[in-house]
C-alpha cells in the first residue's frame, strides 16, 4: 500500500509543473486590438468617399493600385515623425497604408516596436536575423521592418530606415485565392 501511495505521489510531483503551468500563449503574430482600417477610414472604403481628403501620387504599372497622400495627415506618432504616409487603393478600395521613417540610431525603431507591441500584442511573428515583425488579425495584417544604418566609418551619410505596413487582411486573402486559382489554371493548361 505504501508503494502505491509513494508511486502516486511521485507521479503527481513529476506532473505538477504541467498542472500549474500558465495557459497556452497565443501563437506568434496573433494580434490584439485588430483595427478595421486606418485613422478613421475603414478597409474597403471606395476612393470616391474620401477623394476630397486625398492627393493622388501614382498608379502602379501592371496593377489596379493607386497611391495617395492624405491632406492634413499628421506625420507624427508619439516621438516619431514619419517621412511619408501612403494610402493604397486597390480596385479603388482602401487596401493598405504604409508609414515610412528614417533615423540615425534606431531610437525610432525601438520606440515604434514598443508602441506596436503595447497596442497590437507583445508576441509578434519575428523573422530570424531581420528586424521584421508581423501581427495578424481577422481585419488587418501589420508588418514592421527596419534596416539599420550602415557603418558610419564607411558612409557617414547613411541612415537607418523602416516602415510599418497596415493591410486589409480580407483583401490579402482574396488576392491570394485569385493568385492560387490563376496558378492552378496555368498549370492545368501547361500540359
Amino acid at each position: 500500500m505504501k508503494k502505491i501511495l509513494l508511486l502516486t505521489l511521485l507521479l503527481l510531483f513529476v506532473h505538477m509543473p504541467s498542472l500549474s503551468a500558465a495557459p497556452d500563449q497565443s501563437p506568434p503574430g496573433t494580434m490584439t486590438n485588430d483595427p478595421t482600417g486606418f485613422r478613421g477610414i475603414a478597409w474597403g472604403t471606395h476612393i470616391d468617399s474620401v477623394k476630397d481628403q486625398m492627393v493622388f501620387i501614382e498608379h502602379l504599372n501592371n496593377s489596379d493600385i493607386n497611391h495617395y497622400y492624405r491632406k492634413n495627415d499628421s506625420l507624427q506618432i508619439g516621438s516619431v515623425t514619419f517621412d511619408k504616409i501612403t494610402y493604397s487603393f486597390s480596385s479603388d478600395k482602401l487596401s493598405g497604408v504604409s508609414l515610412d521613417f528614417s533615423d540615425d540610431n534606431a531610437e525610432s525603431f525601438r520606440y515604434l516596436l514598443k508602441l506596436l507591441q503595447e497596442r497590437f500584442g507583445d508576441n509578434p511573428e519575428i523573422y530570424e536575423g531581420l528586424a521584421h515583425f508581423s501581427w495578424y488579425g481577422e481585419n488587418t495584417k501589420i508588418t514592421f521592418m527596419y534596416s539599420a544604418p550602415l557603418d558610419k566609418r564607411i558612409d557617414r551619410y547613411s541612415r537607418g530606415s523602416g516602415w510599418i505596413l497596415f493591410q486589409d487582411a480580407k483583401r490579402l486573402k482574396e488576392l491570394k485565392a485569385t493568385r492560387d486559382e490563376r496558378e492552378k489554371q496555368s498549370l492545368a493548361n501547361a500540359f
Side-chain angles (χ1 to χ4, degrees):
M1 180 72 168
K2 281 185 178 180
K3 284 183 181 181
I4 293 174
L5 182 60
L6 200 56
L7 185 59
T8 304
L9 287 174
L10 182 62
L11 285 172
L12 275 174
F13 180 74
V14 168
H15 292 287
M16 189 71 87
S18 64
L19 296 174
S20 63
D24 290 338
Q25 188 175 23
S26 298
T30 301
M31 183 186 302
T32 57
N33 302 314
D34 186 9
T36 57
F38 187 81
R39 290 190 172 171
I41 304 176
W43 300 128
T45 297
H46 198 277
I47 185 62
D48 291 342
S49 315
V50 292
K51 201 160 197 145
D52 60 324
Q53 300 174 37
M54 300 292 170
V55 176
F56 177 78
I57 303 169
E58 66 183 347
H59 172 80
L60 292 185
N61 290 337
N62 301 320
S63 76
D64 66 346
I65 299 174
N66 290 313
H67 289 160
Y68 296 83
Y69 290 127
R70 191 173 183 184
K71 296 175 188 174
N72 305 314
D73 205 6
S74 172
L75 295 178
Q76 189 82 24
I77 294 181
S79 64
V80 176
T81 301
F82 289 90
D83 300 324
K84 65 182 178 177
I85 299 177
T86 306
Y87 293 75
S88 298
F89 287 78
S90 175
S91 300
D92 291 331
K93 295 178 181 174
L94 182 64
S95 59
V97 180
S98 176
L99 297 84
D100 298 38
F101 69 96
S102 54
D103 68 6
D104 291 320
N105 55 16
E107 276 185 41
S108 296
F109 162 71
R110 286 189 290 274
Y111 174 81
L112 289 169
L113 179 58
K114 182 177 183 267
L115 192 69
L116 288 166
Q117 287 178 312
E118 287 172 358
R119 177 85 186 266
F120 301 112
D122 62 359
N123 190 25
E125 182 176 50
I126 301 171
Y127 294 86
E128 206 59 42
L130 300 171
H132 182 163
F133 307 85
S134 295
W135 292 263
Y136 303 92
E138 289 295 316
N139 303 305
T140 302
K141 175 186 177 190
I142 299 173
T143 304
F144 179 43
M145 289 191 69
Y146 181 73
S147 175
L150 294 174
D151 188 333
K152 298 284 187 204
R153 294 170 293 177
I154 298 170
D155 180 0
R156 62 189 172 119
Y157 300 106
S158 173
R159 299 189 76 192
S161 62
W163 49 264
I164 305 169
L165 180 60
F166 289 78
Q167 293 176 288
D168 179 350
K170 292 173 184 162
R171 178 73 175 144
L172 288 174
K173 288 176 188 170
E174 290 171 8
L175 291 171
K176 183 182 180 329
T178 301
R179 187 173 51 248
D180 290 350
E181 184 58 33
R182 281 187 194 145
E183 287 177 9
K184 184 178 173 183
Q185 289 297 323
S186 177
L187 286 173
N189 296 331
F191 301 106

